[in-house]
Amino acid sequence: QATNIYKFPGPGARPIQVTNNWGITISPAISKSGKLAYVSDRSGGRGVYVGDSAVGGGEDPDFSPKDEALAFSAKGSIVVNGESISSGAGDYHPSWSPDGKMIVFSSGEQLMVMTAKGERRLPLIPGGLTGRNPGWSKVMPEGFGAE
């Protein structure tokens, strides 16, 4: 069964279909400039697409705040602009910090944070607490983030 992505222009308006795929189309991410990234299995396996162009096999797309980069997870690694920046040990669900300098993600049952270049990988929640599917607040507290 096909699923597609729709946008809703406002209250009372009719939804507008923005993808037209025969397969499953999920996990939309919209950039500041209006580009649409999503996951689809239209090529047989799950892949990340921007518009109609495939950018790699994977899931969980997220645009950086200034539109200069796209992060997603692929085979247990975090990928930014086509390059793996994490170890491939069960890393999923990347989310950019509001300033674009950090990425929070799930690694197994832990929430982790690292720089946008894959450096300084640290647990976000100490003491063995677990979590999944992290996301940054749109407002970052002053003094928090990469220097």
Side-chain angles (χ1 to χ4, degrees):
Q1 182 172 352
T3 60
N4 283 289
I5 297 171
Y6 292 78
K7 70 177 180 178
F8 292 88
R14 296 187 63 115
I16 299 166
Q17 187 173 345
V18 294
T19 62
N20 188 17
N21 298 320
W22 63 265
I24 294 172
T25 303
I26 57 173
S27 303
I30 301 173
S31 75
K32 201 172 202 173
S33 64
K35 292 183 281 189
L36 174 67
Y38 57 92
V39 175
S40 178
D41 68 353
R42 69 186 187 196
S43 297
R46 285 195 175 187
V48 175
Y49 291 78
V50 175
D52 287 329
S53 300
V55 295
E59 305 178 272
D60 314 312
D62 191 40
F63 285 104
S64 65
K66 295 180 184 173
D67 283 354
E68 72 275 4
L70 175 69
F72 59 91
S73 58
K75 297 181 182 176
S77 293
I78 304 301
V79 175
V80 174
N81 289 343
E83 183 180 331
S84 176
I85 64 165
S86 74
S87 65
D91 299 342
Y92 295 95
H93 310 292
S95 178
W96 291 92
S97 65
D99 64 3
K101 294 179 180 179
M102 306 290 284
I103 296 174
V104 66
F105 58 99
S106 299
S107 184
E109 294 288 323
Q110 273 196 311
L111 297 182
M112 304 290 286
V113 66
M114 65 182 166
T115 68
K117 294 180 180 181
E119 300 163 344
R120 295 186 8 217
R121 179 184 170 117
L122 300 168
L124 189 61
I125 302 173
L129 297 174
T130 62
R132 288 183 175 231
N133 301 338
W136 283 94
S137 169
K138 298 299 178 197
V139 178
M140 190 156 61
E142 191 173 318
F144 188 83
E147 295 299 319

